[in-house]
Amino acid sequence: MKWHFVQNVSTCMHCSSDLTSPRWWCCPPMRNHVMSPLAIELVVPTLRLTLQHSRWQYCTLALAFSPFKQKEEEGDGSGGEMAGSRLERFGTVFSRVRDLMRSGVIQKADKPIWYDVYEVFPPKREPLYVKQQSRPAVNKQDPVPEIFYREDEVRAKFYEQYGTGPRPLDLSNPNFVSTCQRFVTKFNELRNHSDLSDSALFEETGKALLSEGVVLKRRGAVPAESSRDAVLDLKLTDMLAELQNAASSPSTHNPAEPELPVPTQS
Amino acid sequence: MRKLNFVCILTDFFCLLKTFGISLKCLATVMSNWKIRDLLSLGLLGLRHSRGVLTKYSSAGQTVSAAASVSSPQLQPNDAAEKILNLPLEKPDFFRVAELFSLKDLFDARVHLGHKKGCRHRLMEPYLYGCRLDQDIFDLDQTVEHLQRALNFTAHIAYRGGIILFVSRRRQFGHLVESTAKDCGEYAHTRYWQGGLLTNANIQYGPGVRLPDLIIFLSTLNNVFQQHVGVRDAAKMNIPTVGVVDSNCNPCLVTYPVPGNDDTPVAMELYCRLFKMTINRAKDKRRQVELLYGLNAPSPSNS
């Protein structure tokens, strides 16, 4: 914001606003406008030389002083740019503002709201910009370790043998215990009590769960013929033959009523 | 001439003081110790950086007597204002944001689930606990700490009357973010981010726009899986940011990152709820403290 002293002038030479009494006015934004001392002298042409000189000194002093130079974020019509640093790759937000304040570019009055808070509560890591490095071909040790548990061996074997299990997983319930988890807990219990080998223990756990009512079907075995759906064995040619037989023999029947072929036997 | 200079400055000064209701007595005692600039900045400190044009009335240099008619107003508006602002900074958790959530809440909201190993960003590795069957798992101990710091910072900004902008380019949660911002009394931007929104605000929105004092990113990526422009722009405009960074995000420019899941609706609802609660808490606290100090002020203003 720039101040012009416009006494004894009817209109402001810059914003042309009407002035009735001598007072300090803030003009609407003048982009890239530099108020030089000479310009001020031009604005006040009618004053006596001595007084003009003093006013000029006053003006320049006030301008240099400019306590009300407000941030551009304020809605006061100021188009002047507030001092800021747009270098996001050098230093952090805090360091830039701190240095600008230290050098006097940003006045204490213009201190951002977050400055004090940041000073007292800094983040855990300074938000410095990190250059993207091109990945070297050498694969260094993976900094993020893989997560595996002892039970994972049991789980892997379970899934290999029995598939997902009879009951589907209900993920919406945080306390849900899946078939696999029950298997694992039973396995661990048995291991603590008896001294069998792992594979034997595996069978034992299967039997124990069976006794509890959990039926585990082996995934590897071929399913029996009877389990196949009867519909799958229907042949369309046979069905067609039946239809034709049914259509030809009962000629006394109403041909208008189509009868749906019922597969009596496959 | 020099004397006249000084007198001119003084008259202006007194007129200024009149507008801020500072007594002459106070001025006399204070002037000896303080510089002019500091005094005026103190006067501004209590106000939320006065908007509107401040008109200074310059008595034409000769009428110094006009200044003497300044009435005797409140004795310590500056002290009270300063105290109000600095009060929360004395305690480590003035707004008790740590009570708002627990590690179990984060776990139940599936905040610990990240993306697959192939999507991992190099800079997110310190925040990961491990990798379970190629899926990254966040270290929730670190997340708790980061979230506490972020919420604390947000609360302080809200307490000081800062403008907070919620940004998220996830269409799935656009409405949620906007309604969260509405409930807080703050602002949200969940649509296309125009290039010069922050950097060219004066031209795009008219001169003298007030930019946000804090930007909260509920997802730091845009719809093309690149870093949201707002993160870089906020760093450019010296605006601090709080951001939920997933395992495929770049956390380096975010001032207060919160490593966690940003894809699950449960997690997003949790974040929105937490931010809404902190901001409302902070604003209520501010009203409380203002009332308290308003009651404690000894003399009423006569200006």
Side-chain angles (χ1 to χ4, degrees):
Chain A
M1 191 188 298
K2 305 293 180 192
W3 294 89
H4 323 294
F5 188 61
V6 288
Q7 184 158 0
N8 297 337
V9 177
S10 61
T11 52
C12 174
M13 307 235 334
H14 293 277
C15 62
S16 311
S17 55
D18 198 18
L19 311 167
T20 49
S21 60
R23 51 178 65 188
W24 285 89
W25 280 100
C26 163
C27 283
M30 299 271 305
R31 291 194 68 80
N32 303 323
H33 174 65
V34 173
M35 196 68 176
S36 68
L38 191 60
I40 299 170
E41 275 192 305
L42 292 174
V43 166
V44 282
T46 59
L47 295 178
R48 289 172 301 168
L49 198 64
T50 49
L51 199 57
Q52 188 177 13
H53 184 63
S54 73
R55 294 287 164 106
W56 168 70
Q57 283 184 338
Y58 183 10
C59 299
T60 47
L61 199 67
L63 275 179
F65 180 33
S66 52
F68 297 105
K69 182 178 170 193
Q70 297 190 8
K71 296 196 280 191
E72 69 176 336
E73 291 93 16
E74 310 302 332
D76 63 350
S78 160
E81 311 227 326
M82 180 214 166
S85 162
R86 292 199 179 192
L87 310 165
E88 82 271 14
R89 299 190 191 187
F90 294 95
T92 68
V93 175
F94 178 72
S95 69
R96 271 177 267 135
V97 172
R98 184 197 61 206
D99 296 339
L100 283 171
M101 284 180 64
R102 211 189 274 170
S103 62
V105 182
I106 299 182
Q107 312 299 330
K108 274 248 170 75
D110 300 337
K111 181 160 69 168
I113 291 180
W114 53 267
Y115 187 85
D116 293 322
V117 187
Y118 190 114
E119 246 181 331
V120 181
F121 302 110
K124 206 168 166 197
R125 176 202 163 256
E126 283 201 13
L128 281 166
Y129 177 76
V130 176
K131 258 194 211 169
Q132 293 297 322
Q133 294 165 8
S134 58
R135 293 214 178 169
V138 177
N139 281 335
K140 56 180 180 177
Q141 198 182 21
D142 194 12
V144 178
E146 302 221 345
I147 300 174
F148 283 122
Y149 302 102
R150 272 212 181 276
E151 295 90 3
D152 284 345
E153 298 165 353
V154 183
R155 288 188 190 125
K157 214 169 169 193
F158 175 87
Y159 282 122
E160 199 185 348
Q161 220 174 61
Y162 297 117
T164 31
R167 203 165 45 140
L169 295 168
D170 180 16
L171 292 174
S172 54
N173 180 7
N175 298 327
F176 180 77
V177 178
S178 64
T179 320
C180 182
Q181 190 57 35
R182 281 181 75 175
F183 189 96
V184 167
T185 39
K186 182 67 73 177
F187 187 95
N188 285 331
E189 273 177 37
L190 290 175
R191 205 224 302 260
N192 287 337
H193 293 314
S194 58
D195 281 329
L196 299 168
S197 69
D198 276 347
S199 46
L201 263 176
F202 208 80
E203 300 300 329
E204 287 300 311
T205 332
K207 287 177 203 167
L209 276 180
L210 203 66
S211 64
E212 280 177 21
V214 178
V215 179
L216 295 168
K217 278 192 198 167
R218 279 174 179 270
R219 200 177 66 167
V222 178
E225 277 298 322
S226 56
S227 62
R228 283 189 66 191
D229 205 357
V231 180
L232 285 173
D233 292 335
L234 268 180
K235 279 190 183 169
L236 282 172
T237 45
D238 290 345
M239 277 172 66
L240 193 62
E242 278 176 43
L243 251 181
Q244 284 172 345
N245 286 342
S248 59
S249 51
S251 56
T252 52
H253 285 268
N254 296 335
E257 287 181 0
E259 284 179 342
L260 286 168
V262 178
T264 48
Q265 63 190 36
S266 49
Chain B
M1 294 312 129
R2 296 223 176 143
K3 271 190 201 164
L4 197 55
N5 257 347
F6 180 67
V7 153
C8 290
I9 296 170
L10 259 184
T11 54
D12 235 7
F13 214 63
F14 291 145
C15 300
L16 252 187
L17 297 179
K18 183 178 171 182
T19 57
F20 288 108
I22 304 172
S23 73
L24 269 175
K25 281 187 212 170
C26 166
L27 179 69
T29 50
V30 163
M31 270 276 276
S32 51
N33 297 329
W34 294 77
K35 288 188 186 166
I36 298 173
R37 195 179 284 192
D38 288 351
L39 188 64
L40 281 169
S41 67
L42 267 182
L44 288 173
L45 202 66
L47 315 170
R48 183 177 170 163
H49 286 298
S50 47
R51 294 158 187 178
V53 171
L54 281 165
T55 53
K56 281 174 21 179
Y57 295 90
S58 79
S59 37
Q62 294 90 2
T63 56
V64 182
S65 56
S69 64
V70 167
S71 46
S72 61
Q74 273 180 7
L75 200 54
Q76 306 117 359
N78 299 331
D79 296 344
E82 250 197 78
K83 224 173 171 182
I84 289 176
L85 281 183
N86 291 334
L87 181 68
L89 295 178
E90 289 153 18
K91 292 194 197 162
D93 196 3
F94 183 77
F95 301 99
R96 296 188 309 197
V97 293
E99 298 172 355
L100 289 174
F101 67 100
S102 67
L103 205 150
K104 183 144 197 321
D105 294 337
L106 294 184
F107 184 81
D108 289 336
R110 309 202 267 276
V111 162
H112 59 289
L113 301 174
H115 287 276
K116 286 280 193 177
K117 190 161 80 172
C119 300
R120 189 194 301 159
H121 194 96
R122 189 174 58 91
L123 296 168
M124 288 301 292
E125 276 158 11
Y127 304 121
L128 295 176
Y129 179 74
C131 191
R132 172 72 168 163
L133 300 176
D134 279 0
Q135 182 175 18
D136 289 332
I137 307 291
F138 286 104
D139 188 357
L140 282 182
D141 294 321
Q142 289 190 49
T143 303
V144 160
E145 216 202 308
H146 280 94
L147 189 55
Q148 270 177 14
R149 285 180 193 235
L151 289 175
N152 184 41
F153 188 79
T154 320
H156 278 91
I157 297 287
Y159 178 88
R160 286 160 175 250
I163 291 182
I164 299 178
L165 182 69
F166 286 87
V167 174
S168 167
R169 197 61 182 99
R170 301 206 63 126
R171 290 173 164 137
Q172 195 180 1
F173 308 116
H175 180 74
L176 174 69
V177 172
E178 286 179 350
S179 50
T180 311
K182 199 172 166 185
D183 294 336
C184 299
E186 296 294 347
Y187 305 85
H189 186 102
T190 54
R191 310 297 161 106
Y192 177 72
W193 181 281
Q194 278 203 316
L197 205 131
L198 291 180
T199 43
N200 206 16
N202 273 330
I203 296 178
Q204 286 189 356
Y205 295 101
V209 185
R210 180 170 165 179
L211 291 179
D213 301 301
L214 173 69
I215 300 185
I216 301 181
F217 284 93
L218 286 151
S219 166
T220 49
L221 296 182
N222 59 16
N223 286 331
V224 218
F225 299 105
Q226 291 165 349
Q227 196 186 39
H228 199 288
V229 177
V231 177
R232 194 206 63 189
D233 279 355
K236 270 187 186 284
M237 305 307 289
N238 296 333
I239 299 171
T241 44
V242 164
V244 177
V245 280
D246 207 345
S247 60
N248 54 353
C249 303
N250 186 353
C252 68
L253 278 180
V254 181
T255 326
Y256 291 86
V258 177
N261 189 8
D262 66 358
D263 300 289
T264 319
V266 196
M268 288 299 276
E269 280 167 18
L270 175 80
Y271 297 133
C272 287
R273 201 176 68 230
L274 286 176
F275 281 116
K276 183 168 65 176
M277 281 162 70
T278 37
I279 293 174
N280 285 333
R281 221 184 237 205
K283 288 186 176 173
D284 291 338
K285 200 81 187 199
R286 175 62 184 246
R287 265 177 251 133
Q288 260 181 31
V289 169
E290 274 182 351
L291 278 174
L292 201 71
Y293 278 86
L295 289 171
N296 280 352
S299 56
S301 57
N302 294 338
S303 58

